[in-house]
Amino acid sequence: MQHHSATTERIIASGVIAIIRTGSIEAARLAAHAIAAGGIEAIEVTMTVPGALDLLAELAAEWGDRLLLGAGTILTPEAADLAIHAGARYIVSPHFNPATVKLCVRHGIPAVPGCQTVTESMNALAAGAELIKLFPAASLGPDYIKAVLAALPQIPFVPTGGVGPANIATYIRAGAVAVGVGGELTRAGDAAAITRVAQELVSAVKEARAK
């Protein structure tokens, strides 16, 4: 059975990783607080946000263990190391880089590499990844997850890319352990709208798991 750290178990329990990819640190800060108010525990700050490392450090100091802060769009082990020292508790990449996963394992930090194929996913798990970011999920869909898990139920898929309130339940019912949601959240509008969408996502996961 694949090893899951306490951080990974909390991500799975919450069911949603909220991905913040905005054009300014101010917008990212507003989104983070609005998402947290909506009940999503795991928040991923992508490195494409200006001042992303500063924001991670700021949020880590403010929220402590109440939030699960991660760093996204991590392309190299060097970037992962900087993010971990800024306060990231898990590292998300758009691709599988064995060196990045190895560094995360050494730090005791869950690695969540992006994969599309079964070979990539199994190699990532063998390297020590704890979750598999199925990316971009929209091009593969829930049926892909269901088909793969029928043969390899040990792959902890986190579909990301094109996931939102309208289809999140289909991914959970297909076997995803959690989902990553970005644009559907941060483009929702003002803080109140972002909070409302976050609440919808949390409710949708609970309902899908109850059926």
Side-chain angles (χ1 to χ4, degrees):
M1 179 178 292
Q2 184 70 17
H3 167 73
H4 284 159
S5 65
T7 297
T8 295
E9 292 292 352
R10 282 179 66 184
I11 291 172
I12 293 173
S14 67
V16 182
I17 297 175
I19 303 163
I20 296 177
R21 188 186 301 279
T22 60
S24 72
I25 192 171
E26 292 79 12
R29 184 183 295 113
L30 179 148
H33 285 86
I35 289 165
I40 293 179
E41 188 177 3
I43 294 178
E44 171 194 333
V45 177
T46 68
M47 291 299 101
T48 56
V49 174
L53 293 176
D54 291 336
L55 180 61
L56 270 173
E58 175 188 320
L59 294 174
E62 179 179 357
W63 290 91
D65 288 338
R66 290 176 293 167
L67 282 184
L68 288 172
L69 292 171
T73 321
I74 295 293
L75 305 180
T76 65
E78 292 78 15
D81 193 54
L82 289 172
I84 291 168
H85 283 93
R89 297 175 62 184
Y90 54 97
I91 296 296
V92 185
S93 302
H95 67 311
F96 168 44
N97 181 333
T100 298
V101 173
K102 183 177 180 181
L103 179 133
C104 290
V105 171
R106 190 163 69 244
H107 281 282
I109 297 289
V112 188
C115 301
Q116 278 195 325
T117 69
V118 171
T119 298
E120 282 183 308
S121 298
M122 294 303 289
N123 285 343
L125 291 178
E130 295 193 23
L131 296 170
I132 299 298
K133 173 182 176 176
L134 188 66
F135 175 78
S139 65
L140 298 169
D143 287 345
Y144 174 87
I145 295 173
K146 191 180 300 183
V148 172
L149 294 182
L152 296 165
Q154 69 268 40
I155 300 179
F157 281 129
V158 181
T160 305
V163 182
N167 61 5
I168 187 173
T170 62
Y171 283 101
I172 295 296
R173 288 197 293 267
V177 299
V179 298
V181 183
E184 290 270 5
L185 268 170
T186 55
R187 291 195 299 266
D190 59 14
I194 293 173
T195 296
R196 185 168 60 251
V197 174
Q199 291 169 333
E200 291 174 5
L201 292 167
V202 171
S203 295
V205 169
K206 289 180 180 178
E207 290 174 11
R209 287 176 170 173
K211 293 181 179 179

